[in-house]
Amino acid sequence: MDWLSAVQLFVLSQGLLLLVIILAVRSETPNANKLLAMFIGINTTGIALHLAVRTEAIIYQPFYIIYLLMIMKGPLIYLYVRSLTEQQFAFIRQLLIHTLCLLPGLLAWLTIAPEQPLPSASQISEVDHAIAVFYLLNSLILFVYGVAALRLLHSHEHRLKKTFSSLGPITLGWLKWLIIYIITLRLTYIATGLLLGLGLINEQPSVFLFLDFGVIYLIAIGGLRQPRIFTGEVQKVLDKVEQPSPAEEHPTQSKYERSALGDDSINRIWEKLQTCFEHELAYMREDLNLSQLADLLGVTSHELSQVINLRSGGNFYELVNRYRIHKAQQLLEDPANQHRKLLDIALEVGYKSQSTFYSQFSKQSGTTPRKYREKHCLTDNTGSLAR
């Protein structure tokens, strides 16, 4: 057994272990875990087929149906995102609908799949063309479904930012970057496949195999750590904010034309919001949401959301973070805080984690909190900048 086969055997065992763990662990998102298990199971079975080929095991024609099942990786990723971002997700119905993408591949496979068992890797060339076709088909379908999944994640994040000031893991940021990684990998695979077809390269680089292995680990770890998004508290807030208002019963009018708010009302609510933030420091509450702020101001969530969008040029999440970072800048410029931990400042202005604070601060200030303090704090007696 060569080194690559040994690596495949190790990854195969790890994939099977992760599969058992995912199915055994009790989860708040059981449907999502089922889809995750299917994705890992298909990837792991594909590795087993690769290993069988490399070790010259006898492979019978029906076993090559696994290559066809690889097409389901795209739909499974897409449905996994839907299962996490939709409160009422019809698991069986949606899975059956999206298995229809197998039909074109099945018809093509029946025309080019091998009819006899392949006793050794030396004879695998008989189906090289079939395997290449299905890897290309798999890559195209995975790319399309990956883009669709990213659009869902974008809509999900936008929905949350209209309502909540702190997001954390409910935005599924880890999943967004994983899907981008998968899409990039598939595009690269398609490109090298075309180069292979044109005779510009002799074989697909082995690195793709290792990169595919990485997907199993990344999605399994992220999936096991992902908490339930639509908890009772979160859904209660969303239901209150997203419930249609009486003024929205005229679908032919634009979003703000349907609102009963006039310029005077908009100015009044905006002034009350500024007072609430600048004097009462409501933005420093780490779990502040749109519904809570609307109650403080004595207006509806719909009215407040409209005012924020019109006057701030952004959503609720962006407005709250703008105030939080401005307050953090003031604290960092104060010599009395030159020895305070950055985490303490982050917690004081309303952030739950230092990583989110760093990300928002760098985005709005163009530098890190530490460098900002070094630049703006007064020098000490020795002439060195205070940290």
Side-chain angles (χ1 to χ4, degrees):
M1 180 181 293
D2 58 16
W3 67 272
L4 184 56
S5 297
V7 171
Q8 287 179 312
L9 183 60
F10 172 76
V11 175
L12 174 62
S13 63
Q14 295 300 300
L16 292 174
L17 177 61
L18 288 170
L19 183 62
V20 171
I21 292 175
I22 290 172
L23 293 175
V25 172
R26 295 187 63 181
S27 171
E28 296 179 337
T29 55
N31 287 334
N33 273 21
K34 292 175 185 176
L35 292 164
L36 185 62
M38 292 178 191
F39 181 87
I40 294 177
I42 288 176
N43 272 276
T44 303
T45 309
I47 293 171
L49 181 57
H50 277 287
L51 181 62
V53 170
R54 292 190 60 84
T55 55
E56 300 190 351
I58 296 178
I59 304 173
Y60 290 90
Q61 190 270 348
F63 196 62
Y64 278 91
I65 198 69
I66 292 171
Y67 280 110
L68 180 60
L69 292 178
M70 293 292 180
I71 295 175
M72 283 301 296
K73 290 198 293 184
L76 289 174
I77 284 289
Y78 172 76
L79 293 176
Y80 180 65
V81 173
R82 287 192 57 180
S83 69
L84 291 174
T85 58
E86 296 179 11
Q87 186 185 23
Q88 303 296 332
F89 176 71
F91 174 74
I92 299 297
R93 180 172 176 270
Q94 291 298 325
L95 185 60
L96 291 175
I97 290 174
H98 289 276
T99 53
L100 294 176
C101 71
L102 290 173
L103 294 180
L106 179 60
L107 294 175
W109 182 256
L110 293 176
T111 64
I112 58 179
E115 297 181 357
Q116 302 296 328
L118 303 176
S120 69
S122 62
Q123 293 174 295
I124 197 66
S125 59
E126 295 180 28
V127 288
D128 274 349
H129 177 63
I131 293 173
V133 167
F134 281 96
Y135 267 121
L136 180 60
L137 183 59
N138 174 40
S139 296
L140 290 173
I141 292 177
L142 188 53
F143 171 77
V144 172
Y145 272 100
V147 171
L150 286 179
R151 289 174 62 88
L152 284 178
L153 289 173
H154 176 75
S155 298
H156 171 71
E157 183 176 356
H158 180 69
R159 179 192 183 195
L160 295 176
K161 284 184 175 181
K162 290 193 300 183
T163 306
F164 299 98
S165 62
S166 299
L167 302 179
I170 63 175
T171 58
L172 298 171
W174 69 272
L175 187 54
K176 179 181 71 174
W177 288 110
L178 177 62
I179 292 174
I180 291 174
Y181 167 77
I182 293 174
I183 290 176
T184 303
L185 184 60
R186 290 299 100 186
L187 287 175
T188 307
Y189 191 92
I190 291 172
T192 55
L194 293 175
L195 293 176
L196 184 64
L198 294 173
L200 299 178
I201 59 176
N202 296 325
E203 61 180 0
Q204 287 279 11
S206 298
V207 66
F208 287 117
L209 192 58
F210 291 102
L211 294 176
D212 269 335
F213 293 164
V215 173
I216 295 179
Y217 289 103
L218 292 174
I219 196 170
I221 294 173
L224 288 171
R225 296 178 59 187
Q226 178 61 47
R228 181 184 176 190
I229 294 176
F230 297 107
T231 60
E233 182 180 353
V234 170
Q235 191 59 47
K236 181 179 179 181
V237 174
L238 287 174
D239 288 342
K240 185 175 181 180
V241 171
E242 296 176 350
Q243 182 179 5
S245 64
E248 293 180 319
E249 296 178 353
H250 304 286
T252 58
Q253 294 178 304
S254 66
K255 179 178 178 181
Y256 294 137
E257 286 176 341
R258 294 195 298 266
S259 173
L261 287 178
D263 290 340
D264 291 341
S265 296
I266 292 174
N267 291 334
R268 176 179 55 81
I269 294 173
W270 180 245
E271 290 174 0
K272 290 176 66 175
L273 186 152
Q274 289 180 305
T275 300
C276 185
F277 273 9
E278 294 172 4
H279 298 287
E280 300 177 26
L281 306 180
Y283 63 87
M284 296 175 68
R285 303 180 186 180
E286 66 176 27
D287 291 318
L288 181 68
N289 60 58
L290 185 69
S291 177
Q292 292 172 345
L293 183 58
D295 290 340
L296 286 174
L297 301 180
V299 299
T300 68
S301 299
H302 294 277
E303 291 172 338
L304 181 57
S305 179
Q306 177 187 344
V307 171
I308 290 175
N309 290 336
L310 288 174
R311 288 306 177 90
S312 74
N315 54 43
F316 173 73
Y317 177 82
E318 293 167 339
L319 177 65
V320 172
N321 277 278
R322 193 181 307 159
Y323 271 90
R324 286 176 175 174
I325 296 303
H326 179 68
K327 180 64 176 180
Q329 289 172 337
Q330 293 178 332
L331 293 174
L332 291 172
E333 292 171 7
D334 187 350
N337 295 316
Q338 60 184 322
H339 298 300
R340 285 186 65 184
K341 293 182 179 180
L342 293 175
L343 178 59
D344 291 340
I345 293 178
L347 294 174
E348 179 177 338
V349 299
Y351 288 101
K352 295 181 179 180
S353 69
Q354 185 167 303
S355 60
T356 304
F357 171 60
Y358 264 66
S359 174
Q360 287 295 322
F361 194 98
S362 298
K363 180 180 179 181
Q364 298 187 38
S365 305
T367 186
T368 65
R370 185 176 301 279
K371 290 182 179 179
Y372 186 91
R373 179 160 60 183
E374 290 175 349
K375 180 179 179 180
H376 291 86
C377 270
L378 297 175
T379 56
D380 58 24
N381 294 332
T382 63
S384 62
L385 289 174
R387 291 178 177 269

